[in-house]
């Protein structure tokens, strides 16, 4: 019992709660403390019931040994707002809602218009507190009989819950005579804090709380239940709510008690973490000191080098200036030269004067030149020896502990699933650099951590050896000296439903260079209407004469399941994508190009009244795209025999419909899956792998991919991930081995 003292403390006064009330946030606080907090918050003093141990709460009676006093009666004084509730007057202003600053919640809790009156007492907590006081011997203060007259007052031995008073044995027998209704009163241990027997509704006096509203999570009486505010709420009897909540708490308590070993293990882990925190903090502090010492040592070394260069320059300049001083001092010795020159000027013999004066003239000329061209032989300012440390100071100011990289951002435009998974990402601009990255990949439904790749250099990764028709969940995080950062958002990639068929566009059948152009890589084709269409249209008076160009893949298949994808330029006029028998395609290709489409060839197995009744599959199966739309034929009137829509496909009512089919916006990429054994071809939205349309095709002979252009248009085959990265910077390859299969 001593260990639960913390649970019995009032969050305001930090003492054992007295007369606790339950706030709307379900925390309990002393009634007196709650009123004091409201007064400090600027609200008026609420009207509270008297203190249990105050004179106002004790019956005003004398000892039965003296004069007889009236029998004690239960306290039936109505609290403010209880009993009759006249309601609000019509012109009465809106009552201000009271906000109570709940300490455990750390926020203001709305009490309602009537404040603490709407907060019911926590009788269960009061009973626990009373048992706690008796157990830990905190209730050793004797409770005196309230009907004995001092100084003959005896210690109370019983308490009456109906009379709300404590009695000694004699007074209890006197006021509860045998054979009277008072003899049936409930007697309890003597106390100064009598609680009501049951909770009553704070809005409807003496109405028991018999219901519980699960929507509002409040106890209701029979009158509250009829209110409009609880209309449509799930209301159950309080006994049912009691049993449900009791069962939950019992189950939760049992779970916690049965996992005491786990709790001890976690405590041990936490204690070890605290120890490791201390050890690692010391190591980090030592590393910090070491780094600062290295910086200081480097600064000292650099300071010595710069000081040495400065001293060398000072010596050279001082020597140069000293030599110049000595030279100028020598000019002071020319006073004798001046006197000699004056005496020389007194010579009158011309020949002798010229012979003696030439040397004197040269010396005087040198002195004059030196005086006129005087300058310092060295600059004493040392301006170019000043240090600019602004950049270094900024670096030192920004010197801080490194942070782990932020969560990378997945490049959804470049990330795709085809023959392999290609994952591409980048770090946010304000992120710390990453030394390497960790890529996690798993099948959908597998818990995180099912697959992981450590130390992926660069910002992309290729994952191969995948399972077909599966959804993989991928995410990535960076790592540097500070450790691993947060994971990026997860991306879901759906692998194709069959192995990817790698092929190129076949140019061996004599393409029309004026209309159809195939790229050098043989993976792109563009149709440009030429003069032939112009000339044909000139000869036609009643209809437009169209010319169709056929292009096939250089690979024909005879067995298995195969998948490939392509993208059609949205501005294309008409492009047909599908499969067909290689022999039939060659036969159609060598026929005149202005003939009807093979879809309507009576011998092609596609569309005619006679052939619709036969069960033979068609030789060709195409889907038509153009002008930003894709046309999905209906199963009844399709030119594809028994073609039908796949469940969950986008053709089920999405887009403009007609008796012969529906149209839908052109997907970014169109996927084609050919099942030779079943003789079926399925078209997908390659971006989401949602099936669009499925139909039969004759697979009795080699079948190859086929593409047909009517008018201008362009088409590009989906490039394999392996081929696309062959000429680029090498990326890290990740192989999903049997481990994922086991997890699945």
């Amino acid at each position: 019992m001593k260990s639960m003292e913390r649970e019995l403390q009032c969050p305001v006064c930090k003492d054992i709660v007295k007369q606790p009330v339950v706030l709307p946030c379900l925390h309990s606080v002393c009634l007196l403390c709650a009123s004091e907090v409201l007064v400090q918050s600027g609200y008026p003093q609420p009207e509270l019931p008297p203190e249990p141990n105050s004179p106002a709460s004790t019956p005003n009676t004398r000892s039965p040994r003296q004069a007889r006093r009236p029998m004690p009666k239960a306290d039936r004084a109505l609290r403010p707002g209880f009993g009759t509730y006249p309601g609000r007057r019509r012109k009465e202003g809106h009552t201000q809602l009271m906000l109570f600053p709940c300490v455990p919640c750390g926020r203001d809790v709305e009490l309602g218009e009537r404040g603490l009156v709407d907060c019911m007492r926590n009788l269960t907590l009061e009973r626990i507190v009373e048992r706690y006081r008796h157990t830990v011997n905190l209730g050793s203060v004797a409770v005196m009989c309230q009907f004995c007259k001092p100084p003959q007052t005896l210690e109370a031995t019983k308490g009456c819950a109906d009379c709300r008073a404590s009695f000694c044995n004699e007074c209890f027998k006197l006021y509860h005579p045998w054979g009277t209704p008072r003899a049936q009163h409930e007697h309890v241990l003597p106390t100064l804090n009598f609680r009501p027997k049951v909770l009553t509704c704070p809005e409807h006096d003496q109405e028991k709380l018999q219901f519980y509203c699960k929507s509002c999570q409040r106890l209701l009486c029979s009158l509250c239940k009829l209110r409009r505010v609880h209309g449509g709420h799930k209301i159950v009897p309080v006994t049912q709510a009691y049993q449900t909540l009791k069962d939950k708490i019992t189950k939760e308590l049992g779970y916690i008690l049965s996992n005491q070993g786990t709790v001890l293990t976690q405590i041990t882990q936490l204690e070890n973490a605290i120890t490791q925190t201390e050890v690692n903090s010391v190591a980090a502090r030592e590393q910090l000191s070491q780094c600062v010492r290295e910086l200081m040592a480097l600064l000292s070394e650099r300071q010595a080098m710069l000081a040495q260069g400065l001293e060398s320059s000072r010596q050279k300049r001082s020597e140069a200036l000293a030599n110049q001083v000595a030279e100028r001092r020598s000019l002071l010795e020319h006073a004798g030269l001046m006197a000699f020159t004056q005496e020389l000027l007194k010579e009158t013999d011309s020949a002798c004067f010229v012979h003696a004066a030439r040397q004197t003239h040269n010396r005087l000329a040198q002195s004059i030149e030196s005086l006129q061209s005087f300058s310092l032989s060295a600059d004493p300012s040392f301006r170019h020896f000043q240090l600019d440390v602004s950049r270094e100071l900024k670096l030192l100011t920004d010197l801080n502990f490194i942070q782990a990289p932020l969560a990378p951002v997945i490049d959804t435009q470049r990330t795709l699933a085809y023959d392999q998974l290609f994952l591409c990402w980048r770090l946010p601009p304000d992120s710390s650099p990453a030394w390497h990255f960790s890529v996690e990949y798993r099948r959908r439904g597998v818990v995180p951590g099912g697959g992981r790749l450590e130390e992926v250099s660069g910002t992309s990764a290729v994952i191969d050896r995948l399972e077909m028709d599966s959804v993989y969940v991928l995410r990535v995080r960076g790592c540097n000296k500070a450790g691993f950062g947060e994971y990026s958002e997860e991306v879901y990639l759906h692998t194709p439903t069959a192995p990817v068929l790698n092929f190129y566009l076949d140019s061996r059948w004599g393409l029309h260079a004026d209309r159809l152009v195939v790229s050098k890589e043989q993976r792109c084709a563009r149709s440009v209407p030429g003069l032939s269409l112009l000339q044909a249209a000139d000869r036609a008076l009643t209809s437009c004469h169209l010319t169709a160009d056929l292009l096939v893949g250089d690979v024909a298949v005879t067995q298995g399941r195969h998948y490939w994808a392509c993208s059609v330029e949205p501005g294309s006029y008409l492009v047909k994508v599908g499969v067909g028998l290689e022999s039939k395609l060659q036969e159609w290709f060598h026929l005149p190009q202005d003939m009807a489409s093979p879809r309507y060839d009576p011998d092609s197995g596609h569309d005619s009244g006679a052939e619709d009744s036969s069960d033979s599959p068609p030789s060709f199966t195409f889907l038509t795209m153009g002008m930003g739309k894709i046309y999905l034929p209906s199963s009844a009137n399709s030119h594809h025999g028994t073609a039908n829509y796949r469940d969950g496909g986008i053709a089920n009512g999405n887009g403009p419909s007609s008796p012969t089919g529906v149209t839908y916006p052109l997907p970014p990429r169109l996927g084609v899956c050919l099942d030779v054994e079943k003789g079926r071809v399925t078209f997908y939205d390659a971006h989401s792998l949602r099936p669009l349309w499925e139909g039969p095709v004759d697979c009795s002979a080699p079948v190859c991919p086929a593409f047909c252009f009517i008018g201008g248009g362009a088409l590009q085959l989906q490039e394999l991930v392996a081929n696309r990265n062959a000429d680029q910077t090498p990326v890290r390859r990740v192989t999903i081995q049997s481990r994922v299969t086991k997890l699945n």
Side-chain angles (χ1 to χ4, degrees):
M1 295 292 289
K2 185 67 176 177
S3 61
M4 72 173 183
E5 181 176 350
R6 181 179 177 184
E7 303 293 333
L8 307 179
Q9 291 180 351
C10 172
V12 177
C13 63
K14 303 301 180 182
D15 198 0
I16 303 298
V17 290
K18 299 177 181 178
Q19 288 185 297
V21 292
V22 182
L23 301 175
C25 60
L26 303 183
H27 289 114
S28 297
V29 63
C30 296
L31 180 61
L32 184 59
C33 295
S35 62
E36 292 176 354
V37 170
L38 290 177
V39 171
Q40 294 175 1
S41 300
Y43 295 104
Q45 176 69 40
E47 298 184 15
L48 304 176
E51 288 282 346
N53 54 357
S54 63
S57 64
T58 57
N60 187 16
T61 57
R62 293 185 299 179
S63 173
R65 300 180 180 85
Q66 308 298 327
R68 175 67 65 91
R69 286 285 184 178
M71 301 296 293
K73 297 182 180 180
D75 185 9
R76 299 187 59 84
L78 295 178
R79 292 179 290 173
F82 283 68
T84 58
Y85 187 68
R88 185 181 298 163
R89 298 178 181 177
R90 290 185 178 180
K91 296 185 179 181
E92 184 180 355
H94 180 71
T95 306
Q96 181 184 9
L97 297 179
M98 291 189 179
L99 298 178
F100 183 85
C102 181
V103 177
C105 294
R107 61 182 178 87
D108 292 339
V109 179
E110 183 178 324
L111 295 182
E113 298 181 355
R114 300 195 300 166
L116 294 177
V117 177
D118 288 333
C119 298
M120 292 182 290
R121 290 177 62 176
N122 194 340
L123 300 182
T124 302
L125 181 58
E126 289 189 33
R127 297 188 184 98
I128 296 175
V129 169
E130 186 173 349
R131 292 197 298 268
Y132 169 79
R133 289 183 178 277
H134 283 282
T135 302
V136 298
N137 201 22
L138 293 180
S140 56
V141 179
V143 178
M144 307 307 294
C145 178
Q146 296 174 307
F147 296 91
C148 295
K149 184 178 179 180
Q152 301 178 356
T153 303
L154 301 178
E155 182 177 350
T157 57
K158 294 181 180 179
C160 180
D162 297 274
C163 300
R164 301 177 62 85
S166 296
F167 302 85
C168 63
N169 288 333
E170 296 297 330
C171 293
F172 186 81
K173 294 177 181 179
L174 180 62
Y175 287 107
H176 298 80
W178 184 260
T180 63
R182 291 191 177 87
Q184 306 298 324
H185 286 185
E186 179 184 0
H187 60 276
V188 295
L189 294 175
T191 180
L192 296 175
N193 184 17
F194 289 96
R195 300 177 297 274
K197 292 184 177 181
V198 293
L199 285 175
T200 57
C201 180
E203 298 185 13
H204 304 96
D205 190 29
Q206 302 301 323
E207 289 290 336
K208 295 182 179 180
L209 299 171
Q210 301 176 346
F211 302 96
Y212 179 73
C213 179
K214 290 187 176 181
S215 303
C216 301
Q217 296 185 355
R218 293 189 58 182
L219 292 170
L220 306 175
C221 67
S222 56
L223 298 179
C224 293
K225 179 184 176 182
L226 301 177
R227 285 188 172 182
R228 184 180 302 175
V229 70
H230 298 289
H233 290 186
K234 189 173 183 179
I235 300 177
V236 297
V238 71
T239 54
Q240 180 180 345
Y242 158 78
Q243 191 61 42
T244 302
L245 186 58
K246 186 175 183 180
D247 293 342
K248 289 182 179 180
I249 294 178
T250 303
K251 185 177 180 180
E252 293 167 352
L253 179 62
Y255 177 82
I256 294 177
L257 294 178
S258 62
N259 287 273
Q260 293 298 301
T262 303
V263 175
L264 294 176
T265 302
Q266 294 175 354
I267 292 175
T268 303
Q269 292 179 356
L270 292 173
E271 292 175 348
N272 293 337
I274 294 175
T275 304
Q276 290 297 324
T277 300
E278 297 297 329
V279 174
N280 294 336
S281 65
V282 173
R285 190 179 298 109
E286 179 61 29
Q287 184 182 13
L288 172 63
S289 302
Q290 180 65 24
C291 292
V292 174
R293 286 196 297 268
E294 291 178 359
L295 288 176
M296 295 177 64
L298 182 59
L299 287 175
S300 300
E301 181 181 354
R302 191 61 181 171
Q303 180 186 7
M305 294 176 60
L306 295 176
Q308 183 179 359
L310 180 62
E311 180 63 21
S312 176
S313 178
R314 184 196 65 79
Q315 291 179 358
K316 292 180 180 180
R317 296 186 184 192
S318 297
E319 291 177 1
L321 292 174
N323 293 335
Q324 195 173 16
V325 169
E327 181 181 354
R328 289 299 175 268
R329 288 185 181 277
S330 65
L331 294 178
L332 298 178
E333 300 174 359
H334 292 171
L337 178 62
M338 299 299 104
F340 176 76
T341 302
Q342 292 176 359
E343 293 296 327
L344 181 62
L345 291 176
K346 296 178 181 180
E347 179 65 41
T348 58
D349 188 348
S350 300
C352 293
F353 179 79
V354 172
H355 179 70
R358 292 181 60 85
Q359 183 180 6
T360 303
H361 170 69
N362 292 336
R363 293 176 63 186
L364 290 175
Q366 291 178 359
S367 299
I368 292 173
E369 182 181 1
S370 175
L371 288 174
Q372 292 178 348
S373 61
F374 174 77
S375 63
L376 295 177
S377 59
D379 184 9
S381 64
F382 282 80
R383 292 187 183 94
H384 61 285
F385 281 91
Q386 300 297 320
L387 291 178
D388 182 10
V389 295
S390 58
R391 182 169 58 91
E392 288 75 10
L393 287 176
K394 185 178 184 305
L395 291 176
L396 290 176
T397 303
D398 297 338
L399 186 65
N400 203 343
F401 298 106
I402 60 175
Q403 301 293 328
L406 298 179
V409 179
I410 303 296
D411 189 350
T412 56
Q413 299 298 325
R414 300 176 57 190
T415 298
L416 55 89
Y418 197 44
D419 59 321
Q420 299 168 334
L421 295 184
F422 180 70
L423 183 65
C424 185
W425 63 87
R426 65 180 183 274
L427 283 175
D430 53 346
S431 173
S432 302
W435 292 356
H436 57 82
F437 294 90
S438 173
V439 177
E440 181 181 299
Y441 47 90
R442 66 183 189 277
R443 292 276 299 276
R444 185 168 63 178
V446 178
V447 295
R452 180 173 297 174
L453 172 71
E454 301 294 341
E455 297 187 5
V456 177
S457 58
T459 58
S460 60
V462 174
I463 304 175
D464 53 10
R465 297 188 185 180
L466 307 172
E467 295 189 15
M468 296 181 299
D469 198 13
S470 301
V471 178
Y472 285 90
V473 185
L474 300 95
R475 60 179 183 173
V476 62
R477 62 176 177 174
C479 179
N480 57 17
K481 193 174 182 180
F484 284 98
E486 296 293 332
Y487 272 108
S488 65
E489 293 185 359
E490 295 179 342
V491 293
Y492 294 79
L493 297 180
H494 196 162
T495 57
T497 57
V500 174
L501 179 66
N502 184 25
F503 64 91
Y504 299 91
L505 299 176
D506 195 351
S507 59
R508 297 173 300 172
W509 289 4
L511 301 175
H512 298 273
D514 61 333
R515 298 197 304 265
L516 198 59
V517 180
V518 179
S519 66
K520 182 179 179 180
E521 297 80 10
Q522 294 184 263
R523 301 192 70 87
C524 302
R526 179 174 292 274
S527 175
V528 181
L531 292 177
S532 59
L533 179 59
L534 181 62
Q535 295 171 357
D538 181 65
R539 294 192 299 267
L541 298 178
T542 59
S543 63
C544 180
H545 197 84
L546 296 180
T547 300
D549 293 300
L550 181 66
L551 198 60
V552 298
D554 62 350
V555 174
V557 296
T558 58
Q559 61 181 359
R561 298 175 68 242
H562 305 276
Y563 177 89
W564 63 90
C566 64
S567 58
V568 177
E569 188 176 278
S572 302
Y573 184 60
L574 289 177
V575 178
K576 296 176 181 291
V577 177
V579 296
L581 291 176
E582 185 179 21
S583 58
K584 291 291 184 179
L585 291 172
Q586 291 183 3
E587 178 183 348
W588 178 84
F589 186 85
H590 291 93
L591 291 177
Q593 295 299 302
D594 58 354
M595 65 170 288
S597 170
R599 176 187 294 276
Y600 301 96
D601 184 2
D603 297 331
S604 66
H606 274 65
D607 186 29
S608 68
E611 295 198 3
D612 281 345
S613 60
S614 64
D615 296 334
S616 60
S619 302
F620 310 101
T621 300
F622 290 96
L623 277 188
T624 304
M625 288 154 282
M627 297 166 284
K629 299 288 185 179
I630 182 172
Y631 179 73
L632 306 175
S634 63
S635 58
N637 300 318
S638 172
H639 301 300
H640 300 263
T642 58
N644 59 81
Y645 303 110
R646 294 288 301 271
D647 293 338
I650 61 177
N652 296 327
N654 296 329
S657 61
S658 67
T660 58
V662 296
T663 59
Y664 190 81
L666 182 66
R669 297 195 310 273
L670 181 68
V672 183
C673 181
L674 174 63
D675 192 334
V676 178
E677 279 71 17
K678 294 183 179 180
R680 307 289 292 182
V681 59
T682 307
F683 296 88
Y684 294 89
D685 180 348
H687 181 71
S688 60
L689 262 291
R690 289 185 299 175
L692 302 177
W693 189 87
E694 181 181 297
V697 65
D698 187 3
C699 297
S700 59
V703 181
C704 63
F707 311 93
C708 185
F709 294 89
I710 303 176
L715 176 140
Q716 180 175 0
L717 297 180
Q718 177 68 46
E719 188 176 8
L720 297 180
V721 174
N723 293 344
R724 189 181 68 172
N725 293 281
D727 300 331
Q728 299 179 1
T729 304
V731 297
R732 182 64 178 268
R733 290 184 175 271
V734 185
T735 301
I736 299 182
Q737 299 177 351
S738 59
R739 179 183 181 184
V740 176
T741 304
K742 294 178 180 179
L743 289 174
N744 189 29

